[in-house]
Amino acid sequence: MSKEIRVPDLGGASDVEVIEIYVSEGDDIAAEDSILAMESDKASMDIPAPEGGRIKSIKVKVGDKLNEGDVIAELEEADAGDKADDEEDGTETDGDESGESADADESDRAEETPAPSRDSASRDSDGSEEQQAKESVERSADTGDEAGSTEVLTVPDLGDFGEVPVIEISVAIGDVIKPEDSLVVLESDKATMDVPASKGGKVVEILVAVNDKVKQGSPVVRIEVEGGGARSSDSEEKGKSDTGAAKDGGKSAERTSSAAAEKGESDEADSQRPEKAPKVRREATDGREPASSAVHAGPAVRKLARELGVKLESVEGSGPKQRILKEDLQDFVKSNMQAIGKAGSAGGGIRIASVPLPDFSQFGETSRQAMTKIQKLTAENMSRSWQTVPHVTQFDEADITELEDFRKAQKAAAERQNTKLTILPFLLKACAIALRRIPQFNVAQDFDRHELVHKDYVHIGMAVDTPSGLLVPVIRDVDQKSIWDIARECIELANKARDKKLKSSEMQGGCFTISSLGAIGGTAFTPIVNTPEVAILGVSRASIKPVYVEGSFQPRLMLPLSLSYDHRAVNGADAARFTSLLGELLGDIRHMLL
Ligand code: CAO
């Protein structure tokens, strides 16, 4: 046995367009599931299924204009048992009656309004909304007596809906509005409605708050009617007559408002309306967020957007009249998530948390200087690495007593070669050998593809301190170069860095970085991994220390090493092996030949 689903009471609205159909033939639906969305100029509403079942046929299509009682779809009842019960109850009758039954459901649902907010709760009790309306009108009357120019605009007939929560206030005190401008947006679980202004003027008081529940006759705003034509008694009468007219004649918000607009046009006179009324939604004029009522979307989509925390103004609608469909919302969320994912994996999107700054001038004189490009980039890179890499630092010491003797012995040879030999080229060479022997340090991690990228080359960056900030030129194929070649390249690249002559290609392709503070001082530090590399060696100042060798303490030149590594790629044992190997290679440079 099938049942017809019909358009319920539309509050008097007629020829309301079907803008989206949510179900297909054969779909199993539950009671209350939205079947389709309809939209007039001022309201969009979802038509819910009065009961569960299977959609046998759909009788309408997008673009159709429907009226109360029109058949929307045929529903095959889900359960014969239920049907029998229904028949016993006498509820299974012809289409018209099922329409009534749908209406009855509607009114039941209308009573199932959410718990009022604290604000509205106090107003709701004991019918105090009416009381409030009355007070407002009285206030208006008071003002009217003095100024003879204010009026309270109220909620028109809302059709089947009882009390409906306010979800947005579309105007602000001081706004000049014209008839038909939206004052507030109401949203029940089935419909979103703009409450239009029945006449124009300047908003002097807003009489509702978001989450307040309102119904027909509830006061919304008080306006100052330009030209001062409206007297208090008029306004009271008009308030009543607006409501009354809606009751007697047109039952819809649309009709009420258009009737009011007509009235406004006829008796309030065009002269009272500003010649060119400013836009009420002023996204461009005062920086306030545009009201989401400015976008076309049905209640189901609005609800979903709220649940997902999506601002509908950001979503492009692909439906008729740029209406936002559920798919548009899904696409929006999907593309945003993908963008975030890409930004994360590409290293972008890292936000440098800004700490709220006090007014330093209260403590003394200050001046400001713009950050250099290098400083900004360094800040971003350091933040990204600090936030994304699980760092561990392994500390060790290398006995470079013999190395230092050898290095000093090469001073004349260095001068002949027109270069200088510091500890750094030896460190670079030792690290290149260590990277070859312990290859887990020479990788990158691709978390998108869950793969390790093994590099079969050894390019090492060296941190250079320059007046504009830190730069890291990269020496290529360190494992294949002689100590003299490396020494020359170190000087050349360091000079280029300080003279701002480094090409970007000379700062790319690094597998590992050395940060040497040895010429400056310090005993140890924790360098930050230059991601996507997985390790960095910090070098501090070498000093003579008593070292217990073969039964006695001997003065040895010890070089402090601080190896920071990404613990996802490298484990602690490998890190200890790496620094031990460096100690071995630097302790006796003949090992570098093996
Ligand atoms: N222990 C003792 N002496 C050291 C030393 C160490 N660890 N490292 C260098 N020295 C000595 C050098 O041997 C040299 O002495 P001599 O003139 O007697 O030979 C002197 O200090 C000056 O060295 P240098 O700084 O000119 O040359 P370098 O090769 O050691 O370093 C460079 C070159 C570019 C790395 C360095 O100048 C630099 O800019 N370091 C700063 C790096 C930095 O800022 N890192 C921090 C980054 S944030 O993590």
Side-chain angles (χ1 to χ4, degrees), residues 407 420-424 462-465 470 494 498 515-520 525 527 539-542 559:
R407 187 183 74 82
K420 190 181 165 193
L421 195 58
T422 62
I423 303 167
L424 189 60
M462 59 164 189
V464 179
D465 180 32
L470 182 69
R498 286 174 183 135
S515 175
S516 173
L517 294 174
I520 305 166
F525 65 107
V539 183
S540 299
R541 189 170 192 84
L559 179 71

Side-chain angles (χ1 to χ4, degrees), residues 326-467:
K326 198 175 163 195
E327 292 76 50
D328 298 326
L329 200 56
Q330 287 165 337
D331 287 348
F332 177 84
V333 172
K334 205 166 148 188
S335 61
N336 269 274
M337 292 310 290
Q338 281 167 348
I340 290 166
K342 272 189 193 146
S345 58
I350 286 290
R351 299 183 62 180
I352 299 176
S354 61
V355 179
L357 298 177
D359 174 12
F360 294 108
S361 66
Q362 63 184 307
F363 309 118
E365 266 190 35
T366 58
S367 63
R368 282 182 172 257
Q369 188 188 4
M371 287 184 189
T372 64
K373 202 176 158 196
I374 295 172
Q375 285 168 331
K376 283 189 267 183
L377 277 172
T378 302
E380 273 171 32
N381 291 341
M382 293 292 181
S383 302
R384 180 178 56 233
S385 192
W386 185 251
Q387 287 173 35
T388 58
V389 174
H391 279 80
V392 179
T393 305
Q394 168 76 16
F395 300 102
D396 211 337
E397 283 179 325
D399 185 338
I400 58 165
T401 315
E402 269 83 46
L403 168 61
E404 192 61 2
D405 291 344
F406 176 75
R407 187 183 74 82
K408 281 184 178 152
Q410 301 307 311
K411 206 170 174 189
E415 275 166 15
R416 277 200 305 278
Q417 299 209 32
N418 204 22
T419 190
K420 190 181 165 193
L421 195 58
T422 62
I423 303 167
L424 189 60
F426 295 96
L427 279 165
L428 282 156
K429 191 71 181 176
C431 287
I433 293 168
L435 286 168
R436 281 285 183 202
R437 291 204 200 156
I438 310 177
Q440 49 271 53
F441 281 85
N442 198 7
V443 298
Q445 302 165 103
D446 184 341
F447 291 104
D448 283 344
R449 294 165 61 174
H450 300 285
E451 287 173 355
L452 282 180
V453 182
H454 293 278
K455 300 169 189 173
D456 197 19
Y457 54 86
V458 181
H459 305 336
I460 301 180
M462 59 164 189
V464 179
D465 180 32
T466 80

Side-chain angles (χ1 to χ4, degrees), residues 233-251:
S233 53
D234 287 352
S235 86
E236 192 167 5
E237 252 171 45
K238 278 181 205 293
K240 279 180 191 162
S241 73
D242 276 357
T243 316
K247 263 187 191 153
D248 302 343
K251 274 201 148 195

Side-chain angles (χ1 to χ4, degrees), residues 489-546:
E489 220 172 314
C490 278
I491 293 168
E492 190 192 330
L493 288 172
N495 287 340
K496 272 189 174 181
R498 286 174 183 135
D499 295 343
K500 296 187 182 169
K501 288 194 177 143
L502 273 181
K503 292 184 211 140
S504 61
S505 61
E506 289 173 312
M507 293 185 280
Q508 290 169 2
C511 307
F512 182 86
T513 298
I514 296 180
S515 175
S516 173
L517 294 174
I520 305 166
T523 55
F525 65 107
T526 54
I528 295 177
V529 173
N530 191 12
T531 182
E533 296 167 16
V534 296
I536 181 170
L537 181 71
V539 183
S540 299
R541 189 170 192 84
S543 61
I544 305 276
K545 287 187 176 179

Side-chain angles (χ1 to χ4, degrees), residues 10-15 40 42 67 156-157 180 196 242 245-246 248-263:
L10 296 175
S14 57
D15 295 332
S40 70
K42 295 167 204 68
N67 292 294
D157 179 15
E180 295 292 298
D242 276 357
D248 302 343
K251 274 201 148 195
S252 73
E254 262 179 296
R255 279 196 207 164
T256 309
S257 56
S258 50
E262 276 162 27
K263 255 193 286 167

